[in-house]
Amino acid sequence: MNPRPARSLMTIGDVLGLLRPDFPDITISKIRFLESEGLIEPQRSPSGYRKFAEADVERLRFVLTAQRDHYLPLRVIRQHLEARDRGEAVPPLGARRAAPENGRRRPRTLVAADTTAEEPAVRLTRRQLLDGAGIDEELLARLEEYGLVRRAGAHYHGEDLAIARTAAALGEFGFEVRHLRAVKAAADRQVALIEQMVAPQLRRRGPDAHERAAETAREIAALSVRLHAALVAGGLRESLDP
């Protein structure tokens, strides 16, 4: 691949300045996270600094728009980008899927419930949350009653959408909201442990101390989720394998 012309490259600060008018919640940490997820691949200078081309900025705009306006999880956004990179014809982000034959909304599957904690910029109204998760008012009320979903002012966050979708999908296997209290309690304990681990970073002086602590917390959270999944898979293998 031929290197991009040096004059076309921008620093991460330049990119932040270009994106903030349209995406006020964008941060350097968010850009770094999207890079770690493989959604963008900026060049690196000999000293290790990120250098972005106009194509990288447009790719970031696409990702951020897909999150903010269409509430898409990163997995779906990645598939869309990979299809575009292969030169395939892809439907526009706003394309609607055909409704079920009986006209009723169906809960999204667990695969679709991939809106995770790294997507804090997503803000949803109550109606957007209900429609996006494919749930009714009764289930949402139960999720709020047990503290699994929490409204911040008049809005919900992307994590609430993921929780609602996953709870609805688990409901198809017979799970009730009360069964999820143990999961919530375990998550609360994990949050407390992570906060304890990053507390020394928060006490440091410096303009980016909180940003670095938040990035560390997200990395620990991702590892914790991976460990939890492996432990559950191992436990099931031992109990179900002949």
mmCIF file of all heavy atoms in Angstrom, residues 153-195:
data_model
loop_
_atom_site.group_PDB
_atom_site.id
_atom_site.type_symbol
_atom_site.label_atom_id
_atom_site.label_comp_id
_atom_site.label_asym_id
_atom_site.label_seq_id
_atom_site.Cartn_x
_atom_site.Cartn_y
_atom_site.Cartn_z
ATOM 1 N N GLY A 153 -32.387 11.291 33.944
ATOM 2 C CA GLY A 153 -33.229 12.399 33.530
ATOM 3 C C GLY A 153 -34.368 11.878 32.676
ATOM 4 O O GLY A 153 -35.144 11.024 33.093
ATOM 5 N N ALA A 154 -34.445 12.382 31.448
ATOM 6 C CA ALA A 154 -35.512 11.955 30.532
ATOM 7 C C ALA A 154 -35.037 10.903 29.545
ATOM 8 O O ALA A 154 -35.791 10.508 28.662
ATOM 9 C CB ALA A 154 -36.056 13.168 29.775
ATOM 10 N N HIS A 155 -33.792 10.444 29.673
ATOM 11 C CA HIS A 155 -33.228 9.555 28.670
ATOM 12 C C HIS A 155 -32.635 8.290 29.294
ATOM 13 O O HIS A 155 -32.366 8.226 30.492
ATOM 14 C CB HIS A 155 -32.139 10.278 27.861
ATOM 15 C CG HIS A 155 -32.660 11.379 27.003
ATOM 16 N ND1 HIS A 155 -32.830 12.662 27.475
ATOM 17 C CD2 HIS A 155 -33.063 11.389 25.708
ATOM 18 C CE1 HIS A 155 -33.311 13.426 26.494
ATOM 19 N NE2 HIS A 155 -33.464 12.676 25.429
ATOM 20 N N TYR A 156 -32.423 7.308 28.428
ATOM 21 C CA TYR A 156 -31.717 6.085 28.762
ATOM 22 C C TYR A 156 -30.417 6.043 27.956
ATOM 23 O O TYR A 156 -30.265 6.755 26.960
ATOM 24 C CB TYR A 156 -32.560 4.851 28.426
ATOM 25 C CG TYR A 156 -33.871 4.783 29.166
ATOM 26 C CD1 TYR A 156 -35.004 5.421 28.664
ATOM 27 C CD2 TYR A 156 -33.980 4.072 30.354
ATOM 28 C CE1 TYR A 156 -36.222 5.354 29.338
ATOM 29 C CE2 TYR A 156 -35.192 3.993 31.033
ATOM 30 C CZ TYR A 156 -36.306 4.648 30.523
ATOM 31 O OH TYR A 156 -37.500 4.586 31.189
ATOM 32 N N HIS A 157 -29.501 5.175 28.379
ATOM 33 C CA HIS A 157 -28.218 5.050 27.691
ATOM 34 C C HIS A 157 -28.170 3.762 26.865
ATOM 35 O O HIS A 157 -29.055 2.902 26.965
ATOM 36 C CB HIS A 157 -27.064 5.074 28.691
ATOM 37 C CG HIS A 157 -26.882 6.404 29.352
ATOM 38 N ND1 HIS A 157 -26.522 7.536 28.653
ATOM 39 C CD2 HIS A 157 -27.036 6.789 30.644
ATOM 40 C CE1 HIS A 157 -26.446 8.556 29.493
ATOM 41 N NE2 HIS A 157 -26.751 8.141 30.699
ATOM 42 N N GLY A 158 -27.115 3.642 26.066
ATOM 43 C CA GLY A 158 -26.951 2.475 25.214
ATOM 44 C C GLY A 158 -26.904 1.174 26.005
ATOM 45 O O GLY A 158 -27.396 0.140 25.545
ATOM 46 N N GLU A 159 -26.314 1.228 27.214
ATOM 47 C CA GLU A 159 -26.276 0.022 28.036
ATOM 48 C C GLU A 159 -27.681 -0.460 28.379
ATOM 49 O O GLU A 159 -27.934 -1.662 28.464
ATOM 50 C CB GLU A 159 -25.487 0.279 29.324
ATOM 51 C CG GLU A 159 -24.037 0.660 29.105
ATOM 52 C CD GLU A 159 -23.832 2.163 29.002
ATOM 53 O OE1 GLU A 159 -24.805 2.891 28.725
ATOM 54 O OE2 GLU A 159 -22.690 2.605 29.201
ATOM 55 N N ASP A 160 -28.602 0.479 28.604
ATOM 56 C CA ASP A 160 -29.975 0.101 28.930
ATOM 57 C C ASP A 160 -30.629 -0.635 27.767
ATOM 58 O O ASP A 160 -31.418 -1.567 27.967
ATOM 59 C CB ASP A 160 -30.783 1.352 29.289
ATOM 60 C CG ASP A 160 -30.240 2.067 30.512
ATOM 61 O OD1 ASP A 160 -29.978 1.391 31.518
ATOM 62 O OD2 ASP A 160 -30.058 3.299 30.465
ATOM 63 N N LEU A 161 -30.303 -0.216 26.556
ATOM 64 C CA LEU A 161 -30.839 -0.899 25.381
ATOM 65 C C LEU A 161 -30.316 -2.333 25.321
ATOM 66 O O LEU A 161 -31.070 -3.277 25.056
ATOM 67 C CB LEU A 161 -30.461 -0.135 24.108
ATOM 68 C CG LEU A 161 -30.905 -0.745 22.779
ATOM 69 C CD1 LEU A 161 -32.426 -0.878 22.729
ATOM 70 C CD2 LEU A 161 -30.409 0.097 21.612
ATOM 71 N N ALA A 162 -29.031 -2.514 25.576
ATOM 72 C CA ALA A 162 -28.446 -3.860 25.565
ATOM 73 C C ALA A 162 -29.062 -4.727 26.649
ATOM 74 O O ALA A 162 -29.358 -5.908 26.435
ATOM 75 C CB ALA A 162 -26.932 -3.772 25.752
ATOM 76 N N ILE A 163 -29.266 -4.148 27.840
ATOM 77 C CA ILE A 163 -29.851 -4.911 28.948
ATOM 78 C C ILE A 163 -31.271 -5.329 28.610
ATOM 79 O O ILE A 163 -31.672 -6.479 28.821
ATOM 80 C CB ILE A 163 -29.820 -4.057 30.238
ATOM 81 C CG1 ILE A 163 -28.372 -3.867 30.708
ATOM 82 C CG2 ILE A 163 -30.655 -4.719 31.334
ATOM 83 C CD1 ILE A 163 -28.215 -2.792 31.772
ATOM 84 N N ALA A 164 -32.054 -4.394 28.076
ATOM 85 C CA ALA A 164 -33.447 -4.701 27.749
ATOM 86 C C ALA A 164 -33.534 -5.773 26.669
ATOM 87 O O ALA A 164 -34.355 -6.692 26.743
ATOM 88 C CB ALA A 164 -34.171 -3.424 27.309
ATOM 89 N N ARG A 165 -32.705 -5.660 25.632
ATOM 90 C CA ARG A 165 -32.707 -6.664 24.568
ATOM 91 C C ARG A 165 -32.344 -8.041 25.115
ATOM 92 O O ARG A 165 -32.977 -9.055 24.792
ATOM 93 C CB ARG A 165 -31.704 -6.276 23.480
ATOM 94 C CG ARG A 165 -32.146 -5.138 22.572
ATOM 95 C CD ARG A 165 -31.019 -4.803 21.618
ATOM 96 N NE ARG A 165 -31.429 -3.836 20.596
ATOM 97 C CZ ARG A 165 -30.596 -3.292 19.721
ATOM 98 N NH1 ARG A 165 -29.308 -3.612 19.749
ATOM 99 N NH2 ARG A 165 -31.038 -2.424 18.826
ATOM 100 N N THR A 166 -31.314 -8.087 25.953
ATOM 101 C CA THR A 166 -30.851 -9.366 26.474
ATOM 102 C C THR A 166 -31.875 -9.974 27.417
ATOM 103 O O THR A 166 -32.133 -11.191 27.392
ATOM 104 C CB THR A 166 -29.508 -9.191 27.199
ATOM 105 O OG1 THR A 166 -28.579 -8.529 26.325
ATOM 106 C CG2 THR A 166 -28.928 -10.529 27.611
ATOM 107 N N ALA A 167 -32.488 -9.133 28.254
ATOM 108 C CA ALA A 167 -33.528 -9.633 29.161
ATOM 109 C C ALA A 167 -34.697 -10.216 28.367
ATOM 110 O O ALA A 167 -35.263 -11.253 28.734
ATOM 111 C CB ALA A 167 -34.002 -8.509 30.078
ATOM 112 N N ALA A 168 -35.071 -9.543 27.269
ATOM 113 C CA ALA A 168 -36.169 -10.041 26.434
ATOM 114 C C ALA A 168 -35.801 -11.375 25.802
ATOM 115 O O ALA A 168 -36.624 -12.298 25.739
ATOM 116 C CB ALA A 168 -36.509 -9.008 25.355
ATOM 117 N N ALA A 169 -34.560 -11.493 25.325
ATOM 118 C CA ALA A 169 -34.124 -12.748 24.710
ATOM 119 C C ALA A 169 -34.083 -13.872 25.733
ATOM 120 O O ALA A 169 -34.491 -15.002 25.459
ATOM 121 C CB ALA A 169 -32.754 -12.561 24.062
ATOM 122 N N LEU A 170 -33.603 -13.574 26.949
ATOM 123 C CA LEU A 170 -33.587 -14.589 27.997
ATOM 124 C C LEU A 170 -34.999 -14.992 28.403
ATOM 125 O O LEU A 170 -35.240 -16.127 28.807
ATOM 126 C CB LEU A 170 -32.821 -14.062 29.223
ATOM 127 C CG LEU A 170 -31.298 -13.975 29.076
ATOM 128 C CD1 LEU A 170 -30.693 -13.235 30.251
ATOM 129 C CD2 LEU A 170 -30.697 -15.367 28.958
ATOM 130 N N GLY A 171 -35.935 -14.045 28.286
ATOM 131 C CA GLY A 171 -37.319 -14.358 28.603
ATOM 132 C C GLY A 171 -37.870 -15.470 27.739
ATOM 133 O O GLY A 171 -38.757 -16.226 28.163
ATOM 134 N N GLU A 172 -37.356 -15.592 26.508
ATOM 135 C CA GLU A 172 -37.814 -16.661 25.623
ATOM 136 C C GLU A 172 -37.381 -18.038 26.137
ATOM 137 O O GLU A 172 -37.931 -19.059 25.714
ATOM 138 C CB GLU A 172 -37.278 -16.439 24.210
ATOM 139 C CG GLU A 172 -37.814 -15.171 23.559
ATOM 140 C CD GLU A 172 -37.352 -15.034 22.117
ATOM 141 O OE1 GLU A 172 -36.308 -15.618 21.761
ATOM 142 O OE2 GLU A 172 -38.047 -14.351 21.366
ATOM 143 N N PHE A 173 -36.401 -18.065 27.039
ATOM 144 C CA PHE A 173 -35.948 -19.327 27.631
ATOM 145 C C PHE A 173 -36.547 -19.540 29.020
ATOM 146 O O PHE A 173 -36.142 -20.461 29.733
ATOM 147 C CB PHE A 173 -34.417 -19.348 27.711
ATOM 148 C CG PHE A 173 -33.738 -19.381 26.369
ATOM 149 C CD1 PHE A 173 -33.367 -18.204 25.739
ATOM 150 C CD2 PHE A 173 -33.484 -20.580 25.730
ATOM 151 C CE1 PHE A 173 -32.742 -18.226 24.500
ATOM 152 C CE2 PHE A 173 -32.862 -20.619 24.497
ATOM 153 C CZ PHE A 173 -32.495 -19.433 23.879
ATOM 154 N N GLY A 174 -37.466 -18.681 29.410
ATOM 155 C CA GLY A 174 -38.131 -18.859 30.694
ATOM 156 C C GLY A 174 -37.598 -18.006 31.820
ATOM 157 O O GLY A 174 -38.080 -18.096 32.953
ATOM 158 N N PHE A 175 -36.612 -17.150 31.541
ATOM 159 C CA PHE A 175 -36.075 -16.296 32.585
ATOM 160 C C PHE A 175 -37.046 -15.155 32.875
ATOM 161 O O PHE A 175 -37.586 -14.518 31.969
ATOM 162 C CB PHE A 175 -34.730 -15.704 32.161
ATOM 163 C CG PHE A 175 -33.569 -16.644 32.288
ATOM 164 C CD1 PHE A 175 -33.302 -17.574 31.299
ATOM 165 C CD2 PHE A 175 -32.754 -16.604 33.401
ATOM 166 C CE1 PHE A 175 -32.232 -18.447 31.407
ATOM 167 C CE2 PHE A 175 -31.677 -17.466 33.524
ATOM 168 C CZ PHE A 175 -31.422 -18.396 32.520
ATOM 169 N N GLU A 176 -37.254 -14.874 34.157
ATOM 170 C CA GLU A 176 -37.993 -13.701 34.592
ATOM 171 C C GLU A 176 -37.017 -12.665 35.121
ATOM 172 O O GLU A 176 -35.866 -12.991 35.448
ATOM 173 C CB GLU A 176 -39.007 -14.091 35.665
ATOM 174 C CG GLU A 176 -40.050 -15.092 35.185
ATOM 175 C CD GLU A 176 -41.033 -15.472 36.278
ATOM 176 O OE1 GLU A 176 -41.024 -14.810 37.339
ATOM 177 O OE2 GLU A 176 -41.783 -16.435 36.071
ATOM 178 N N VAL A 177 -37.487 -11.426 35.224
ATOM 179 C CA VAL A 177 -36.594 -10.351 35.658
ATOM 180 C C VAL A 177 -36.022 -10.652 37.039
ATOM 181 O O VAL A 177 -34.849 -10.364 37.315
ATOM 182 C CB VAL A 177 -37.334 -8.997 35.641
ATOM 183 C CG1 VAL A 177 -36.434 -7.886 36.199
ATOM 184 C CG2 VAL A 177 -37.777 -8.648 34.226
ATOM 185 N N ARG A 178 -36.822 -11.252 37.909
ATOM 186 C CA ARG A 178 -36.334 -11.561 39.255
ATOM 187 C C ARG A 178 -35.149 -12.518 39.221
ATOM 188 O O ARG A 178 -34.307 -12.514 40.132
ATOM 189 C CB ARG A 178 -37.458 -12.132 40.110
ATOM 190 C CG ARG A 178 -38.055 -13.430 39.577
ATOM 191 C CD ARG A 178 -39.270 -13.861 40.398
ATOM 192 N NE ARG A 178 -39.905 -15.049 39.839
ATOM 193 C CZ ARG A 178 -39.527 -16.289 40.118
ATOM 194 N NH1 ARG A 178 -38.517 -16.500 40.952
ATOM 195 N NH2 ARG A 178 -40.170 -17.323 39.566
ATOM 196 N N HIS A 179 -35.074 -13.343 38.181
ATOM 197 C CA HIS A 179 -33.939 -14.270 38.066
ATOM 198 C C HIS A 179 -32.637 -13.534 37.770
ATOM 199 O O HIS A 179 -31.556 -14.088 37.977
ATOM 200 C CB HIS A 179 -34.199 -15.287 36.950
ATOM 201 C CG HIS A 179 -35.352 -16.189 37.215
ATOM 202 N ND1 HIS A 179 -36.210 -16.611 36.221
ATOM 203 C CD2 HIS A 179 -35.802 -16.750 38.368
ATOM 204 C CE1 HIS A 179 -37.138 -17.396 36.747
ATOM 205 N NE2 HIS A 179 -36.912 -17.492 38.032
ATOM 206 N N LEU A 180 -32.756 -12.314 37.266
ATOM 207 C CA LEU A 180 -31.568 -11.559 36.862
ATOM 208 C C LEU A 180 -30.978 -10.733 37.990
ATOM 209 O O LEU A 180 -29.960 -10.064 37.809
ATOM 210 C CB LEU A 180 -31.914 -10.651 35.672
ATOM 211 C CG LEU A 180 -32.556 -11.351 34.466
ATOM 212 C CD1 LEU A 180 -32.840 -10.343 33.365
ATOM 213 C CD2 LEU A 180 -31.661 -12.467 33.953
ATOM 214 N N ARG A 181 -31.609 -10.778 39.168
ATOM 215 C CA ARG A 181 -31.083 -10.002 40.290
ATOM 216 C C ARG A 181 -29.682 -10.458 40.684
ATOM 217 O O ARG A 181 -28.839 -9.636 41.053
ATOM 218 C CB ARG A 181 -32.025 -10.114 41.494
ATOM 219 C CG ARG A 181 -33.338 -9.347 41.326
ATOM 220 C CD ARG A 181 -34.199 -9.446 42.572
ATOM 221 N NE ARG A 181 -34.602 -10.817 42.828
ATOM 222 C CZ ARG A 181 -35.350 -11.187 43.866
ATOM 223 N NH1 ARG A 181 -35.762 -10.289 44.741
ATOM 224 N NH2 ARG A 181 -35.698 -12.457 44.034
ATOM 225 N N ALA A 182 -29.431 -11.749 40.595
ATOM 226 C CA ALA A 182 -28.101 -12.256 40.953
ATOM 227 C C ALA A 182 -27.047 -11.743 39.987
ATOM 228 O O ALA A 182 -25.917 -11.419 40.386
ATOM 229 C CB ALA A 182 -28.111 -13.782 40.968
ATOM 230 N N VAL A 183 -27.414 -11.660 38.703
ATOM 231 C CA VAL A 183 -26.484 -11.118 37.706
ATOM 232 C C VAL A 183 -26.188 -9.654 38.007
ATOM 233 O O VAL A 183 -25.045 -9.204 37.929
ATOM 234 C CB VAL A 183 -27.071 -11.286 36.293
ATOM 235 C CG1 VAL A 183 -26.103 -10.749 35.249
ATOM 236 C CG2 VAL A 183 -27.390 -12.749 36.012
ATOM 237 N N LYS A 184 -27.236 -8.905 38.355
ATOM 238 C CA LYS A 184 -27.064 -7.486 38.685
ATOM 239 C C LYS A 184 -26.170 -7.326 39.910
ATOM 240 O O LYS A 184 -25.276 -6.477 39.945
ATOM 241 C CB LYS A 184 -28.441 -6.854 38.952
ATOM 242 C CG LYS A 184 -28.391 -5.400 39.410
ATOM 243 C CD LYS A 184 -27.898 -4.482 38.309
ATOM 244 C CE LYS A 184 -28.170 -3.015 38.616
ATOM 245 N NZ LYS A 184 -27.549 -2.543 39.868
ATOM 246 N N ALA A 185 -26.387 -8.155 40.930
ATOM 247 C CA ALA A 185 -25.568 -8.069 42.139
ATOM 248 C C ALA A 185 -24.107 -8.373 41.836
ATOM 249 O O ALA A 185 -23.196 -7.698 42.341
ATOM 250 C CB ALA A 185 -26.101 -9.035 43.197
ATOM 251 N N ALA A 186 -23.860 -9.376 40.986
ATOM 252 C CA ALA A 186 -22.481 -9.708 40.612
ATOM 253 C C ALA A 186 -21.841 -8.562 39.834
ATOM 254 O O ALA A 186 -20.658 -8.242 40.033
ATOM 255 C CB ALA A 186 -22.466 -10.991 39.793
ATOM 256 N N ALA A 187 -22.628 -7.938 38.950
ATOM 257 C CA ALA A 187 -22.100 -6.810 38.176
ATOM 258 C C ALA A 187 -21.752 -5.640 39.089
ATOM 259 O O ALA A 187 -20.721 -4.974 38.909
ATOM 260 C CB ALA A 187 -23.120 -6.380 37.126
ATOM 261 N N ASP A 188 -22.598 -5.387 40.089
ATOM 262 C CA ASP A 188 -22.327 -4.295 41.028
ATOM 263 C C ASP A 188 -21.041 -4.551 41.804
ATOM 264 O O ASP A 188 -20.243 -3.627 42.039
ATOM 265 C CB ASP A 188 -23.495 -4.128 41.994
ATOM 266 C CG ASP A 188 -24.731 -3.552 41.331
ATOM 267 O OD1 ASP A 188 -24.591 -2.959 40.236
ATOM 268 O OD2 ASP A 188 -25.832 -3.679 41.903
ATOM 269 N N ARG A 189 -20.822 -5.803 42.197
ATOM 270 C CA ARG A 189 -19.578 -6.134 42.909
ATOM 271 C C ARG A 189 -18.367 -5.947 41.995
ATOM 272 O O ARG A 189 -17.312 -5.460 42.432
ATOM 273 C CB ARG A 189 -19.635 -7.569 43.426
ATOM 274 C CG ARG A 189 -20.609 -7.782 44.572
ATOM 275 C CD ARG A 189 -20.382 -9.123 45.254
ATOM 276 N NE ARG A 189 -20.642 -10.230 44.353
ATOM 277 C CZ ARG A 189 -21.830 -10.814 44.218
ATOM 278 N NH1 ARG A 189 -22.862 -10.382 44.918
ATOM 279 N NH2 ARG A 189 -21.988 -11.839 43.396
ATOM 280 N N GLN A 190 -18.519 -6.306 40.727
ATOM 281 C CA GLN A 190 -17.423 -6.148 39.780
ATOM 282 C C GLN A 190 -17.111 -4.671 39.549
ATOM 283 O O GLN A 190 -15.946 -4.275 39.465
ATOM 284 C CB GLN A 190 -17.776 -6.815 38.455
ATOM 285 C CG GLN A 190 -16.615 -6.919 37.480
ATOM 286 C CD GLN A 190 -15.503 -7.814 38.002
ATOM 287 O OE1 GLN A 190 -15.770 -8.798 38.694
ATOM 288 N NE2 GLN A 190 -14.270 -7.480 37.696
ATOM 289 N N VAL A 191 -18.145 -3.841 39.458
ATOM 290 C CA VAL A 191 -17.942 -2.404 39.297
ATOM 291 C C VAL A 191 -17.170 -1.837 40.487
ATOM 292 O O VAL A 191 -16.232 -1.044 40.325
ATOM 293 C CB VAL A 191 -19.295 -1.680 39.134
ATOM 294 C CG1 VAL A 191 -19.115 -0.164 39.251
ATOM 295 C CG2 VAL A 191 -19.923 -2.010 37.789
ATOM 296 N N ALA A 192 -17.559 -2.245 41.690
ATOM 297 C CA ALA A 192 -16.875 -1.765 42.890
ATOM 298 C C ALA A 192 -15.407 -2.165 42.887
ATOM 299 O O ALA A 192 -14.526 -1.376 43.269
ATOM 300 C CB ALA A 192 -17.576 -2.295 44.137
ATOM 301 N N LEU A 193 -15.123 -3.386 42.440
ATOM 302 C CA LEU A 193 -13.736 -3.855 42.394
ATOM 303 C C LEU A 193 -12.928 -3.061 41.370
ATOM 304 O O LEU A 193 -11.780 -2.657 41.635
ATOM 305 C CB LEU A 193 -13.713 -5.344 42.052
ATOM 306 C CG LEU A 193 -12.325 -5.993 41.937
ATOM 307 C CD1 LEU A 193 -11.555 -5.852 43.245
ATOM 308 C CD2 LEU A 193 -12.453 -7.460 41.549
ATOM 309 N N ILE A 194 -13.516 -2.814 40.203
ATOM 310 C CA ILE A 194 -12.816 -2.038 39.174
ATOM 311 C C ILE A 194 -12.558 -0.612 39.656
ATOM 312 O O ILE A 194 -11.469 -0.051 39.448
ATOM 313 C CB ILE A 194 -13.621 -2.040 37.862
ATOM 314 C CG1 ILE A 194 -13.681 -3.464 37.284
ATOM 315 C CG2 ILE A 194 -12.998 -1.090 36.838
ATOM 316 C CD1 ILE A 194 -14.581 -3.594 36.073
ATOM 317 N N GLU A 195 -13.556 -0.014 40.297
ATOM 318 C CA GLU A 195 -13.371 1.336 40.833
ATOM 319 C C GLU A 195 -12.227 1.372 41.833
ATOM 320 O O GLU A 195 -11.451 2.330 41.885
ATOM 321 C CB GLU A 195 -14.667 1.815 41.480
ATOM 322 C CG GLU A 195 -15.772 2.132 40.487
ATOM 323 C CD GLU A 195 -17.079 2.496 41.167
ATOM 324 O OE1 GLU A 195 -17.224 2.186 42.376
ATOM 325 O OE2 GLU A 195 -17.959 3.081 40.504
#
